[in-house]
Amino acid sequence: MSKSKVLNLKDKIDGNEMDLSLCNLTEVPVKELAAFPKVTVLDLSCNNISSLPLEFCSLSHLIKVDLSKNQLTVLPDDLGRLSNLQQLDLYNNKLTILPVSFSQLKNLKWLDLKDNPLEINLAKAAGDCLDEKQCKQCAVRVLQHMRILQDEVDKERERRLQKEKELEKKKEAKQREREAKEREARKREKAEEKERKRKEYNAHIAAMAVQEQKNKRKEEKRRRTGQAVADKKAAVESAPKAQRHTLIGLLFKLLLLLLLGLAGVVGVCQLTGLNDEAMCVPVNSAVGDGLSWVREQKVDLKVRELVQEVDIRARELLQKLSSLAPQLLKPLVPTATVTEPVETVEN
């Protein structure tokens, strides 16, 4: 509102009262009214006001309000904030119900709800308001009725809250159950995955063991095959050697037997009474010629000494053989003759 209109509102003030009746108002000038906190009595009757703004409930300094003969169809939900309100005139409006917060008007002493299309229970509670007493009783009964409604609303709100809590609990329980199932499923999946990996590991170890066993068998087979081949090869290679060794041994034995036989013949012809026999004459002659030839040869002194030593040893041997002649002639003669020629060969 302009400054001039504010001054006009001041003109409407008389002490603690402000008279705005018959001003053809369609709205309540709440902001302007808030500028006059000392005004406790407000007359807004006989206007065209259809609703009260929410800000109207902030005018808690008001004690008496006259809203009769307007077009009100509903009151603000926070009307209970007018905690100092003692008298309220709502005569001849279009109200059907009152806000539940109406029960919070604890200081309300006077109320007029005549000529309103009130719902039946509220109308019964309001009754008539034809005089001061009836209007006071109307205030008391309506407050009681609104408190009952407030209790029911509170209970309903409590039930709704309880239901919401129960639903929330059920929701939380379902959420927890779902989370538990998910955890169990994850746990089961992990266990299955672990078991699968364990089986794969065991299968891998078993496969490695089988492969290792196969490798061992192959290696053993290869080793046996190689050994057999080597043995066969060695046998093939050693056969000629063995034959050669056998042949050489045989020849050596034959030579040894020949030398032994020759030594035996020489011994018999030199040491026995057979030396004059025709068969021993060539042998003795050959032995004598050989010894003479050796003596006549111009060899080194050491060689001569060696020959003389051999001659001495040979004579000693022949003497021993002469003493053993009877035994040499027995069946064991070959064994005895083996020893003598060996020494002779070595000498």
Side-chain angles (χ1 to χ4, degrees), residues 98-324:
L98 297 176
V100 178
S101 65
F102 197 93
S103 61
Q104 299 174 11
L105 300 175
K106 298 180 180 181
N107 292 316
L108 187 65
K109 304 291 192 268
W110 192 96
L111 177 63
D112 189 356
L113 289 172
K114 292 190 308 295
D115 293 339
N116 279 282
L118 300 174
E119 58 93 15
I120 185 169
N121 292 326
L122 180 58
K124 288 180 179 180
D128 293 330
C129 185
L130 301 176
D131 53 28
E132 186 74 15
K133 183 177 180 180
Q134 289 181 345
C135 290
K136 288 181 178 181
Q137 290 177 352
C138 175
V140 173
R141 290 194 299 268
V142 169
L143 286 176
Q144 291 177 350
H145 175 74
M146 296 309 298
R147 289 191 185 103
I148 293 173
L149 292 179
Q150 181 68 53
D151 292 340
E152 292 178 355
V153 170
D154 292 340
K155 289 179 181 179
E156 180 63 24
R157 183 169 60 251
E158 185 66 24
R159 284 193 297 270
R160 187 171 63 254
L161 292 175
Q162 186 66 26
K163 187 175 181 180
E164 290 177 356
K165 288 181 180 180
E166 290 177 356
L167 291 175
E168 186 66 24
K169 287 181 179 179
K170 289 181 180 180
K171 185 177 179 181
E172 292 177 356
K174 289 182 179 179
Q175 180 68 20
R176 287 193 297 268
E177 183 179 358
R178 183 167 59 254
E179 292 175 354
K181 288 182 179 180
E182 291 176 355
R183 286 194 300 269
E184 187 65 24
R186 288 194 296 269
K187 185 177 180 181
R188 185 168 56 255
E189 289 176 358
K190 289 182 179 179
E192 292 175 354
E193 180 67 16
K194 186 176 181 180
E195 182 65 18
R196 184 183 64 79
K197 290 183 178 180
R198 186 183 66 80
K199 290 181 178 179
E200 289 179 354
Y201 175 77
N202 292 337
H204 178 67
I205 295 298
M208 290 180 63
V210 171
Q211 185 63 33
E212 185 177 358
Q213 189 67 23
K214 289 182 178 179
N215 293 337
K216 286 183 178 180
R217 291 176 181 174
K218 289 181 180 179
E219 184 65 25
E220 183 66 21
K221 185 177 180 180
R222 188 163 52 248
R223 187 183 64 79
R224 288 197 299 268
T225 303
Q227 185 65 33
V229 172
D231 293 343
K232 185 176 181 180
K233 184 178 180 181
V236 171
E237 292 178 353
S238 63
K241 291 182 179 180
Q243 292 176 358
R244 287 196 299 271
H245 286 312
T246 304
L247 182 59
I248 292 172
L250 181 60
L251 292 175
F252 180 76
K253 289 179 181 179
L254 292 174
L255 180 61
L256 182 59
L257 290 173
L258 182 61
L259 291 175
L260 288 174
L262 182 59
V265 171
V266 172
V268 169
C269 291
Q270 290 286 328
L271 301 176
T272 64
L274 299 176
N275 55 356
D276 294 332
E277 294 293 331
M279 60 175 291
C280 291
V281 171
V283 174
N284 292 332
S285 177
V287 171
D289 292 342
L291 293 174
S292 298
W293 179 82
V294 171
R295 292 190 187 97
E296 292 174 357
Q297 294 300 317
K298 295 179 180 181
V299 296
D300 189 77
L301 180 60
K302 291 184 178 181
V303 175
R304 289 183 178 183
E305 292 177 354
L306 178 60
V307 173
Q308 291 176 359
E309 182 68 23
V310 170
D311 186 30
I312 294 171
R313 297 299 179 189
R315 290 180 180 277
E316 291 177 353
L317 178 61
L318 291 174
Q319 290 177 359
K320 290 181 180 180
L321 289 174
S322 63
S323 63
L324 297 173

